[in-house]
Amino acid sequence: MYLTLTINPSIDHYMRLPEGQALKNGTPEAPSVNRALNEYFEAGGKGINVAKILKRLSPSSEVEATGFTAGFTGREVIDDIRLQGISASFIEVKGHTRVNLKLTDGFGIETEVNGPGPSITDQDIRRLISKIDESSCDTLFISGSLASGLKSDTYHYIANEVLKSKPGLRLVLDFEGEALLKCLELRPFLIKPNARELSLLTGMDISTGSDISKIKEAAKMLKDKGAMNVLVSLGDQGAAILTDDGGFFHVPGISGDVISTIGAGDTMTASYVYMLDRIEDAGTSLKFSNECAALSAFTSGLPGAPDLNRIISRYN
C-alpha cells in the first residue's frame, strides 16, 4: 500500500490570464487589477499530488494520504481527496490550511504565492508518527516543504521513528536542502531532485542543460551518502536515474506546448514507482515517468486517468 505524507498541504487556487496578457504589477500609488480568464481550486501539496497520480494510474491500488489539516480549508482538502478514492488520514491542528495562488499569465509565465500554513507542535509530530505506524503501507512518500517553524531535521526524525516499527518500509523522498541531506543516512529507496536541487545538494554547477555525465557524477555523490536510487527530473532535457546497482539511464525531453510545470515532478515520482513496481525495469520505468511528467506539463493541472491510461497502454 502507498502512503503519502504532506506536512503542509494546501488549497491551490489556479488562475490564468488571457492569451498575450502579461501580469500587471501595481505601485503604492496606483494598484493594478488583473482579470483572470478562468480559475479552479483543488487540494494541493506535493504528497497529495503523488497520491492523486498513483490512484489515477492504478484505481485498484490502495492509496492513503496523511499530514496536517486545519480549519475549513483543511476540511476542503480532505473532501477533495476522498472524492478521488484516496483514503484521508490527516491530523487536525489549530489554524487554517494554507491557500496557494498559482497564476499563469498569457505568455505562460508562472507566478506562485504560497501561504505559510498552520504551526505544528512537537506533540502534533508525535501524533503523526503514531498515525503512520498504524498504516499498513509498504511505501511512504514524503514530499514537499516543511511547515513554518519546524526544524530541518523533522523529516529525519519522522522517518527514523517510523522505520523502527516498519524496518522494511520503502522511503521515497522529494524535498530540498539540508532536510533531505540529513535523511540520506536512512538509505531511502528513492530521492527525486531536479537539476537546481541537485546543484544545491552537491555544490556542483548543474542546470537542465548540463552534460549528462555531470548529472551522473552529482547523482553518485548522493548515492554515496546513502540514497539507493536517484531520479533526476531535467525539465525539457528529460530525466535520468542512477540505480542501486549502479545502472544509469537517461531519456531526452519531449517537445510540446507547456501549459504549467506545477505537479510535473510529482507526476514523475509517482509514475516511476508505479511502473517499477509493475515491471522491475528502471530504464523502462524512467521512460514511462518522463512521458507522464511531460503530459502533466502539457496539461492544466494534474493529468487525468484517461490520458495516463493512454500512456500505460503503450507499455502493456
Side-chain angles (χ1 to χ4, degrees), residues 38-302:
N38 52 48
E39 65 176 348
Y40 64 94
F41 300 83
E42 67 177 4
K46 292 178 70 64
I48 288 174
N49 290 342
V50 168
K52 289 179 178 180
I53 294 297
L54 288 169
K55 195 64 178 179
R56 293 172 190 180
L57 287 167
S58 181
S60 62
S61 294
E62 194 173 352
V63 180
E64 184 178 7
T66 191
F68 299 105
T69 55
F72 74 98
T73 46
R75 291 190 290 274
E76 181 63 25
V77 166
I78 292 173
D79 288 345
D80 180 82
I81 290 172
R82 287 177 174 166
L83 281 173
Q84 301 192 47
I86 300 167
S87 298
S89 301
F90 286 83
I91 304 293
E92 186 173 358
V93 296
K94 295 179 180 179
H96 291 90
T97 292
R98 61 184 176 154
V99 176
N100 293 340
L101 174 63
K102 314 286 188 178
L103 176 64
T104 304
D105 75 6
F107 297 97
I109 298 174
E110 298 170 357
T111 300
E112 297 186 39
V113 182
N114 294 341
S119 297
I120 306 300
T121 66
D122 291 343
Q123 183 180 359
D124 295 329
I125 295 295
R126 289 192 291 271
R127 290 165 62 201
L128 175 67
I129 292 169
S130 296
K131 179 71 73 173
I132 298 173
D133 285 342
E134 294 168 1
S135 171
S136 59
C137 65
D138 53 30
T139 303
L140 173 62
F141 294 80
I142 304 179
S143 308
S145 60
L146 287 164
S148 176
L150 290 179
K151 299 177 182 178
S152 63
D153 64 353
T154 298
Y155 278 146
H156 179 279
Y157 174 70
I158 293 171
N160 190 49
E161 289 299 305
V162 170
L163 286 172
K164 291 177 182 178
S165 60
K166 297 177 180 293
L169 183 70
R170 293 191 306 179
L171 291 176
V172 179
L173 309 181
D174 184 9
F175 45 90
E176 297 188 32
E178 187 179 359
L180 179 59
L181 287 174
K182 289 181 177 180
C183 287
L184 296 184
E185 67 174 24
L186 301 177
R187 290 192 52 77
F189 173 74
L190 178 73
I191 64 173
K192 195 217 69 65
N194 58 30
R196 178 188 63 81
E197 292 163 350
L198 189 63
S199 180
L200 292 173
L201 289 166
T202 62
M204 295 179 64
D205 183 15
I206 293 172
S207 65
T208 55
S210 293
D211 185 88
I212 296 303
S213 63
K214 198 173 183 180
I215 301 294
K216 180 180 179 180
E217 180 184 353
K220 188 176 184 304
M221 290 176 64
L222 299 182
K223 186 174 181 297
D224 290 343
K225 291 179 182 293
M228 296 175 66
N229 300 276
V230 182
L231 174 62
V232 185
S233 55
L234 298 169
D236 59 6
Q237 300 298 310
I241 180 81
L242 178 63
T243 66
D244 191 36
D245 61 5
F248 183 76
F249 304 90
H250 170 253
V251 291
I254 298 171
S255 60
D257 295 327
V258 174
I259 295 177
S260 174
T261 60
I262 298 168
D266 306 324
T267 299
M268 176 170 285
T269 304
S271 56
Y272 179 83
V273 173
Y274 160 79
M275 185 56 72
L276 189 69
D277 285 348
R278 283 187 67 190
I279 65 173
E280 298 183 354
D281 182 286
T284 302
S285 299
L286 179 67
K287 181 181 178 183
F288 173 76
S289 66
N290 189 52
E291 289 190 46
C292 292
L295 172 64
S296 180
F298 305 155
T299 303
S300 179
L302 296 174

